[in-house]
Amino acid sequence: MSWRFPRLTRRVSLITPTIGACLWVVLLTLFIMPAVYAAPEEPAGKLMIHNFDPETGKRIITNERCLTCHGDEKEKTDVRDDGTPVKIFVHRKQIEASVHGDLRCNECHATIERVPHRKAPHVVVGCTECHKETLEERKNDPDAKIERLKVVNDQVESYMQSIHALPNKLDQSRTNATCYDCHEAHNVGELGSIQRKEKRLKNPEVCGRCHEKELVDYRTSTHGKAVLEKGDSDSAVCSDCHSTHAIDSPETDKAKLIITKNCGDCHKEAQSTYFDSYHGQVHRLGYTDTAKCHDCHGSHKIQGEDDPTSEIHKNNRLENCQACHKDANENFLTFWPHSDADDKEKYPTLWLAKRFMQALIFAVMAFFWVHVILWLYREVKERMEGKGFIEDLNKPDVVYFNRFPVVWRWIHGLFAIATMTLILTGTTLLFAHTGWAKAVVVFLGGTAMEGIIHRTAAVIWLGLFLGPPFFATCNIWRNRK
């Protein structure tokens, strides 16, 4: 006896193709599609076998994988396990346009070995070692970028000697500032790029993350208003004065010398006249005992001389001078700190004084050289003629006079030494930019000791110069009839 289900058979015959199609979809989803989506982009110029670099053995993680999370503009922050928020967003276009745009993310973030992260990663970035190793590997490469990398490594060496590379006093496990504290890690622009210009205008804000008080003062200054309010990239920012990588504590002589030098990069004429003054000459010898630019003009709050809050405003200038010269009075205000002795129209008296001193120096030197040459000529001629002093013992009645007794010989010798000392200690200031002048000052014990020696020699010189006429006058007066 057979059972027939014609209606059911017809339904099964209709369902079978549908089930087959569904199975094919499931197979495609399970085996083929994951392979398509999971296939990472092969890095240019490198062989990738099973997502591992054959040279290093490390897992290859493409930037695209990283930017899936870190490039999401809707999720720019995350929360750490301790509840503190952290920024995780990286602007895709910025990093692609930066000098590091060709690198993979985990070439810098070397501790990241897989994504997604199973737990909050320990982020470690070694900028200095990477730059050194890259230069060592490609030091013979003719690529122009290698020359720039050499400059970067020189800057790294400067940074390692700076105050930023020292351990932080509050946290010995951290340096005062790392590379990426100052440089935007994912937006380091090439020379001449728009990133560089933008970075310069942001420089005060970047430094102000640590130096908050200085930023508040800088905002009110002439420089700060020009940069932060007007967007003037020609005005001074922090790195223009303090330098970029060889930064030292502003209390050190090294930093004071650098800052004063850097002021002259913009204010060339003012620096030139400053170096002509006693303040500038001592500074040029490598000492910081005298007034420097920021001692008179201020530093972060610097204003124009017409501003009532300026330290060089006419109402504040005397108090400013008294910071160094405790007994300074109103006469100090007649001093021209940036006078130009070659500007006859603006400083006629100073111009005339300089010409008089030049004429006096040349006249004195000419007189004494002519005197010495004529005296030498006379001595040589008389010796050749036999007129030199030869005592004739057969003529005891001939009296010879000793021209210079011992005392006068000492006086003449001391006068000559005082004169040469004055010249030596004075010309070191006039030629403060030369190496020999710096060496002489170091030998004498510094500018303070040189000043003592110079004044002592001046007193001796004046005493010996005015003493003989004084005593001669006294003798004449005493022996008068």
Side-chain angles (χ1 to χ4, degrees):
M1 184 175 180
S2 63
W3 299 87
R4 299 185 67 185
F5 304 96
R7 191 174 296 177
L8 182 60
T9 302
R10 190 162 49 249
R11 287 181 179 178
V12 170
S13 63
L14 291 172
I15 291 172
T16 300
T18 303
I19 293 174
C22 292
L23 289 173
W24 274 109
V25 171
V26 171
L27 288 173
L28 284 171
T29 303
L30 291 176
F31 296 102
I32 299 176
M33 297 307 290
V36 172
Y37 284 104
E41 179 184 349
E42 183 174 335
K46 289 192 177 182
L47 178 64
M48 187 179 69
I49 304 175
H50 302 302
N51 298 338
F52 287 91
D53 190 321
E55 295 180 6
T56 64
K58 293 184 177 181
R59 185 188 300 273
I60 293 176
I61 304 173
T62 63
N63 290 358
E64 195 63 37
R65 295 283 307 276
C66 298
L67 291 171
T68 300
C69 297
H70 291 280
D72 187 355
E73 296 191 13
K74 296 180 180 179
E75 298 288 342
K76 293 187 176 183
T77 60
D78 199 357
V79 180
R80 299 183 189 274
D81 294 339
D82 60 3
T84 58
V86 57
K87 294 181 180 179
I88 64 170
F89 178 71
V90 177
H91 199 290
R92 183 188 298 267
K93 290 184 178 180
Q94 281 186 351
I95 195 169
E96 289 176 352
S98 75
V99 294
H100 300 136
D102 295 334
L103 300 178
R104 292 197 311 273
C105 299
N106 67 328
E107 288 187 69
C108 293
H109 298 278
T111 56
I112 306 300
E113 297 182 348
R114 66 182 303 135
V115 290
H117 313 305
R118 293 184 176 179
K119 59 180 181 179
H122 178 54
V123 179
V124 176
V125 178
C127 303
T128 58
E129 286 304 311
C130 183
H131 285 124
K132 288 181 181 178
E133 291 172 2
T134 304
L135 180 61
E136 186 63 28
E137 292 173 2
R138 302 180 59 187
K139 60 184 177 182
N140 297 322
D141 195 325
D143 190 348
K145 290 184 177 181
I146 300 305
E147 292 300 319
R148 180 60 191 168
L149 186 57
K150 292 178 181 178
V151 174
V152 171
N153 275 275
D154 289 340
Q155 293 171 337
V156 168
E157 291 301 321
S158 297
Y159 162 77
M160 296 303 291
Q161 303 300 320
S162 74
I163 192 171
H164 281 162
L166 295 177
N168 189 288
K169 292 181 179 180
L170 300 178
D171 183 358
Q172 298 291 309
S173 66
R174 297 193 66 234
T175 57
N176 287 317
T178 62
C179 303
Y180 43 82
D181 285 327
C182 302
H183 297 277
E184 289 186 54
H186 302 105
N187 190 26
V188 180
E190 296 184 2
L191 291 175
S193 65
I194 188 66
Q195 292 105 312
R196 286 283 177 140
K197 184 177 181 180
E198 292 174 349
K199 177 66 177 177
R200 177 174 174 78
L201 294 175
K202 293 178 181 177
N203 180 266
E205 301 286 355
V206 172
C207 296
R209 294 171 190 166
C210 297
H211 307 282
E212 297 176 1
K213 180 182 179 300
E214 287 76 10
L215 177 60
V216 171
D217 292 342
Y218 176 80
R219 287 184 187 277
T220 65
S221 71
T222 300
H223 294 150
K225 290 177 180 178
V227 173
L228 301 176
E229 295 179 11
K230 301 177 183 178
D232 182 6
S233 60
D234 291 331
S235 189
V237 295
C238 308
S239 58
D240 290 326
C241 302
H242 295 274
S243 76
T244 51
H245 298 90
I247 299 176
D248 213 331
S249 168
E251 302 302 321
T252 63
D253 286 351
K254 178 183 176 182
K256 292 175 182 177
L257 293 171
I258 289 176
I259 291 171
T260 304
K261 171 188 170 296
N262 290 344
C263 291
D265 292 341
C266 296
H267 306 282
K268 298 184 185 300
E269 184 177 346
Q271 185 189 60
S272 176
T273 54
Y274 167 75
F275 282 151
D276 288 338
S277 70
Y278 177 73
H279 291 156
Q281 289 168 342
V282 171
H283 178 87
R284 218 170 187 184
L285 285 168
Y287 294 84
T288 59
D289 303 332
T290 55
K292 298 159 288 297
C293 304
H294 57 273
D295 289 324
C296 300
H297 294 269
S299 52
H300 300 103
K301 291 183 178 181
I302 191 167
Q303 302 289 352
E305 63 178 334
D306 296 329
D307 191 304
T309 64
S310 172
E311 294 188 28
I312 58 171
H313 186 269
K314 60 183 180 181
N315 295 337
N316 305 325
R317 198 172 300 167
L318 180 58
E319 183 181 353
N320 197 358
C321 293
Q322 289 172 341
C324 297
H325 306 278
K326 305 298 182 184
D327 299 325
N329 53 33
E330 294 291 334
N331 292 331
F332 261 70
L333 300 182
T334 62
F335 173 66
W336 296 319
H338 287 286
S339 58
D340 185 357
D342 294 320
D343 190 339
K344 185 178 180 180
E345 294 183 3
K346 196 171 182 180
Y347 304 100
T349 307
L350 195 61
W351 181 88
L352 186 63
K354 179 178 179 179
R355 287 348 181 239
F356 171 76
M357 288 303 299
Q358 288 176 334
L360 180 63
I361 290 172
F362 284 117
V364 170
M365 294 296 293
F367 174 80
F368 279 104
W369 274 109
V370 171
H371 175 272
V372 169
I373 291 171
L374 290 176
W375 192 283
L376 179 63
Y377 170 75
R378 176 188 171 185
E379 287 287 332
V380 172
K381 185 178 179 181
E382 288 186 348
R383 287 181 181 275
M384 292 177 66
E385 294 176 353
K387 293 182 179 179
F389 169 68
I390 302 175
E391 185 177 4
D392 190 351
L393 299 178
N394 296 322
K395 298 179 179 179
D397 56 329
V398 179
V399 180
Y400 292 92
F401 292 93
N402 188 1
R403 183 179 181 187
F404 283 138
V406 175
V407 173
W408 282 105
R409 292 175 191 174
W410 275 103
I411 289 174
H412 271 75
L414 192 58
F415 186 80
I417 292 172
T419 301
M420 289 185 285
T421 301
L422 285 171
I423 293 171
L424 181 64
T425 53
T427 51
T428 53
L429 291 174
L430 292 175
F431 298 93
H433 59 286
T434 63
W436 70 263
K438 294 180 174 67
V440 168
V441 173
V442 171
F443 175 77
L444 294 177
T447 53
M449 180 57 68
E450 184 189 45
I452 294 173
I453 294 172
H454 186 83
R455 291 171 177 83
T456 304
V459 171
I460 294 172
W461 192 93
L462 285 172
L464 295 176
F465 183 79
L466 299 175
F470 173 76
F471 289 114
T473 303
C474 290
N475 286 333
I476 292 172
W477 179 261
R478 189 183 304 115
N479 298 323
R480 74 185 184 282
K481 293 181 180 180

